[in-house]
Amino acid sequence: MLPFSNIAIIGLGLIGSSIAHSVRASMAGARITGFDADPTVRARVIELGFCDDVSDSAGAAVTDADLVMLCVPVGAMAAIAAEIADDLPADAIVSDVGSSKGSVMEVLSKTLPSARIIPAHPVAGTEHSGPDAGFATLFHDRWCILTPPDDALEGDVEQVKAFWEKMGANIEIMDAKHHDLVLAVTSHLPHLIAYTIVGTASDLEDVTRSEVIKYSAGGFRDFTRIAASDPTMWRDVFMSNKDAVLEMLQRFSEDLTALQRAIRWDKGDELFDLFTKTRAIRRRIIEEGQDDAAPDFGRSHE
Amino acid sequence: MLPFSNIAIIGLGLIGSSIAHSVRASMAGARITGFDADPTVRARVIELGFCDDVSDSAGAAVTDADLVMLCVPVGAMAAIAAEIADDLPADAIVSDVGSSKGSVMEVLSKTLPSARIIPAHPVAGTEHSGPDAGFATLFHDRWCILTPPDDALEGDVEQVKAFWEKMGANIEIMDAKHHDLVLAVTSHLPHLIAYTIVGTASDLEDVTRSEVIKYSAGGFRDFTRIAASDPTMWRDVFMSNKDAVLEMLQRFSEDLTALQRAIRWDKGDELFDLFTKTRAIRRRIIEEGQDDAAPDFGRSHE
């Protein structure tokens, strides 16, 4: 039994295309209709062939759907919801993959007041973007968080859960507000900091950009990966989860100031204690299968 | 022709043991004598067999050496230099692998005033520590920075250069002060920030540690790798390169404050412009062979 048989994927970047590949791999028989606002992306998707059909409008893509997956940047949700409003079948479930959930739910429920909305956030990705970046195993052993509204039908939640489980994900159900706080620290703050330090390093007057690149293996290059993520997507995340991001940033800044003082006043013990504690977190992430145990992320050293 | 035939390696952690493996692989015939202050490390190195000889004292390890490689945390340099002072052959070259160079040169030249000192810093490593962590290819295609003092003999510099080139490294010669500034931004600041954010995330009252670990694939886990690096080594780096680290931290904090304001005042364009620029740096790091081109650092997705 397939959880859905007619899936419309709106937005065919890394996540949208990965869902398509993953549906193909795990839900044979399900039909995939794709749409992307960018005509060059649509043309490329036709070449790549991972959708059964590529529509020329968002409305046309959803007319026969029992699941509509919105895979656009969160700042584009309102516009795309308005575009599909007239064509959305009454019994279709609308879901999304946005990285912030409170604001997305607010926008979708306003624009599609009678729709059955079950927001979702697969915590998975790479730094690459676009329809060529997707692959079927992206969600394997990753967590997908559902944030259903209080009045969601239990059957709808179960169906969306089954859909993600088929793609290899583990499911957690969470309040949207709590989701936004948790992801502010595990995802949004790390991206903000990585973008910042890469910016700082490339704008120094006494260290050249070429030196920064040459000696990046000392640690810096680890930050450049997530600072290469999609600019539109991330701009929207920070705009839409502003309160939680600013709150976490405040905590981080306080802790950084404390370390700065410890360095200034030669308090080596304080540094040593923190540096010992942080090792344990890494160990648990590896134990729980959320990162590679191989040193250096498993990068090849020839 | 071997650059050196009797190499004493003092400190047999990740870097010391990698040098030993690498000498074995690229300089057949060179004799390696090892010493580590920790007797359990010495016993383990005898088991692992990557040294020809393991001495019970630093002095005994250097008596026949033509190259003495100090691979201890920079805070331990003064003590170890004092230990070898009486046994150091007059014509031996003394080098080190410390991550800060100004303070190390100061300490070594004070304790070993007549020694031929050529400080070095291989910009390479993993988050693992100890004699089991080393491997022969760690320095392949990585940069090794030499910071010879003004009165160094040209022949000595050439010999140390040849030694690192045999191990696969590329060489750059630099003033110690400039080295300390460059590495403050490409290595020390990234480590400081990674330690900080991992500490922040593990001390929140409204997000559990278990949630932080579960959803770490959203970006956080990239930071935990370098925050798992050796605590003693890193405490010493921050203490010994204090001025440059504090200077770079100040620049970073200013840039972070600017981003914080952009988020607070909904200036999406400012975010977008920065996020676009940072992508280019990643691209150049990959082009110049300093990181893996594969998405997600080449982590396996099954």
Side-chain angles (χ1 to χ4, degrees):
Chain A
M1 262 290 289
L2 293 175
F4 300 99
S5 48
N6 274 298
I7 301 160
I9 304 177
I10 309 297
L12 298 165
L14 168 68
I15 302 294
S17 64
S18 291
I19 291 175
H21 286 292
S22 197
V23 166
R24 281 269 167 99
S26 63
M27 288 170 259
R31 192 174 166 76
I32 305 169
T33 307
F35 171 76
D36 195 284
D38 182 343
T40 64
V41 171
R42 296 201 295 271
R44 180 66 185 145
V45 171
I46 291 168
E47 275 171 32
L48 292 167
F50 59 69
C51 290
D52 297 294
D53 212 359
V54 176
S55 299
D56 281 335
S57 75
V62 306
T63 42
D64 294 321
D66 52 1
L67 173 66
V68 176
M69 265 292 174
L70 303 176
C71 306
V72 299
V74 293
M77 290 286 177
I80 207 76
E83 277 186 55
I84 63 170
D86 290 342
D87 298 290
L88 186 70
D91 57 353
I93 291 180
V94 176
S95 190
D96 77 304
V97 297
S99 299
S100 62
K101 299 267 55 99
S103 70
V104 168
M105 186 61 208
E106 203 181 307
V107 155
L108 293 183
S109 59
K110 198 177 291 176
T111 321
L112 304 168
S114 55
R116 293 155 62 177
I117 304 167
I118 310 290
H121 177 202
V123 185
T126 77
E127 69 277 26
H128 291 196
S129 314
D132 284 274
F135 54 97
T137 56
L138 179 62
F139 311 112
H140 279 200
D141 279 327
R142 295 279 86 90
W143 288 91
C144 182
I145 303 173
L146 309 186
T147 59
D150 291 339
D151 60 353
L153 298 175
E154 207 177 314
D156 291 358
V157 177
E158 285 307 312
Q159 247 179 297
V160 175
K161 185 166 179 271
F163 178 73
W164 281 102
E165 283 174 343
K166 284 221 178 274
M167 295 195 289
N170 306 313
I171 308 300
E172 193 68 58
I173 291 174
M174 213 182 267
D175 170 73
K177 203 175 158 64
H178 188 62
H179 166 278
D180 287 354
L181 199 62
V182 172
L183 271 290
V185 68
T186 65
S187 180
H188 309 170
L189 181 60
H191 276 79
L192 192 66
I193 287 169
Y195 280 123
T196 305
I197 190 177
V198 177
T200 304
S202 60
D203 276 344
L204 296 168
E205 69 277 13
D206 31 20
V207 177
T208 67
R209 205 173 283 201
S210 145
E211 287 174 321
V212 166
I213 287 159
K214 269 167 97 166
Y215 309 118
S216 61
F220 180 71
R221 63 179 180 159
D222 279 21
F223 290 71
T224 60
R225 189 187 77 78
I226 58 180
S229 301
D230 186 62
T232 304
M233 173 191 157
W234 282 98
R235 177 200 60 199
D236 288 1
V237 169
F238 297 122
M239 300 284 107
S240 68
N241 196 24
K242 184 166 142 172
D243 294 345
V245 168
L246 289 176
E247 165 69 20
M248 289 303 165
L249 189 50
Q250 187 54 38
R251 312 280 188 106
F252 171 79
S253 296
E254 289 165 16
D255 292 345
L256 193 62
T257 300
L259 273 192
Q260 189 171 12
R261 286 180 61 88
I263 294 173
R264 198 180 294 283
W265 299 104
D266 296 315
K267 307 214 162 164
D269 290 354
E270 282 179 30
L271 299 181
F272 185 83
D273 290 347
L274 171 67
F275 300 172
T276 306
K277 198 174 72 172
T278 49
R279 276 194 142 171
I281 302 273
R282 174 80 188 160
R283 208 156 39 229
R284 279 191 54 196
I285 287 177
I286 290 168
E287 279 162 14
E288 298 190 19
Q290 294 304 307
D291 208 346
D292 215 306
D296 214 12
F297 296 124
R299 285 179 180 115
S300 81
H301 292 266
E302 280 154 298
Chain B
M1 263 289 290
L2 294 175
F4 299 98
S5 48
N6 273 298
I7 300 160
I9 305 178
I10 309 296
L12 297 164
L14 168 67
I15 302 295
S17 64
S18 291
I19 291 175
H21 286 292
S22 197
V23 167
R24 281 269 168 99
S26 63
M27 287 171 258
R31 190 173 167 78
I32 306 170
T33 307
F35 170 75
D36 195 285
D38 182 344
T40 63
V41 170
R42 295 201 296 272
R44 181 64 185 146
V45 171
I46 291 170
E47 275 171 33
L48 293 167
F50 58 69
C51 289
D52 296 293
D53 211 0
V54 177
S55 300
D56 281 336
S57 75
V62 305
T63 43
D64 295 322
D66 52 1
L67 173 66
V68 176
M69 264 290 174
L70 303 176
C71 306
V72 300
V74 292
M77 289 287 177
I80 207 76
E83 278 185 54
I84 63 171
D86 290 343
D87 298 291
L88 186 70
D91 58 351
I93 291 180
V94 176
S95 190
D96 77 303
V97 296
S99 299
S100 61
K101 301 263 60 91
S103 70
V104 168
M105 187 59 210
E106 203 181 307
V107 154
L108 293 183
S109 59
K110 198 176 291 175
T111 320
L112 304 167
S114 55
R116 292 156 60 177
I117 304 167
I118 309 291
H121 177 203
V123 185
T126 76
E127 69 277 28
H128 291 195
S129 314
D132 284 274
F135 55 97
T137 56
L138 180 61
F139 311 112
H140 278 202
D141 279 326
R142 294 281 82 90
W143 288 91
C144 181
I145 303 173
L146 308 186
T147 59
D150 292 339
D151 59 353
L153 299 175
E154 206 176 314
D156 291 358
V157 176
E158 285 306 312
Q159 246 178 297
V160 174
K161 184 166 180 268
F163 178 73
W164 281 102
E165 283 175 343
K166 284 221 175 277
M167 297 195 289
N170 307 313
I171 308 300
E172 191 69 60
I173 291 174
M174 211 182 268
D175 171 71
K177 204 175 159 63
H178 189 62
H179 166 279
D180 288 354
L181 198 64
V182 172
L183 272 290
V185 68
T186 65
S187 180
H188 309 170
L189 181 60
H191 276 78
L192 192 68
I193 286 168
Y195 281 123
T196 305
I197 189 176
V198 176
T200 303
S202 60
D203 277 344
L204 296 168
E205 70 277 13
D206 31 19
V207 176
T208 67
R209 205 174 282 201
S210 145
E211 286 175 322
V212 166
I213 287 159
K214 270 168 95 166
Y215 309 119
S216 60
F220 179 71
R221 62 179 181 159
D222 279 20
F223 290 72
T224 61
R225 189 186 78 76
I226 57 180
S229 300
D230 186 62
T232 304
M233 173 192 157
W234 282 98
R235 177 200 60 197
D236 289 1
V237 169
F238 296 123
M239 299 286 105
S240 68
N241 197 24
K242 185 164 140 171
D243 293 345
V245 168
L246 289 175
E247 165 70 20
M248 288 303 166
L249 189 50
Q250 187 55 38
R251 312 279 188 107
F252 171 78
S253 295
E254 288 165 18
D255 292 344
L256 193 61
T257 301
L259 273 192
Q260 189 170 11
R261 285 180 62 88
I263 295 174
R264 197 180 295 285
W265 298 103
D266 297 315
K267 308 214 161 165
D269 289 354
E270 283 180 27
L271 299 181
F272 185 84
D273 290 346
L274 171 66
F275 301 173
T276 306
K277 196 173 70 171
T278 51
R279 275 194 142 169
I281 302 274
R282 173 82 187 157
R283 208 156 39 229
R284 278 192 55 194
I285 286 177
I286 291 168
E287 280 164 13
E288 297 190 17
Q290 294 305 308
D291 208 345
D292 214 307
D296 214 11
F297 295 125
R299 284 177 181 116
S300 80
H301 292 266
E302 284 154 294

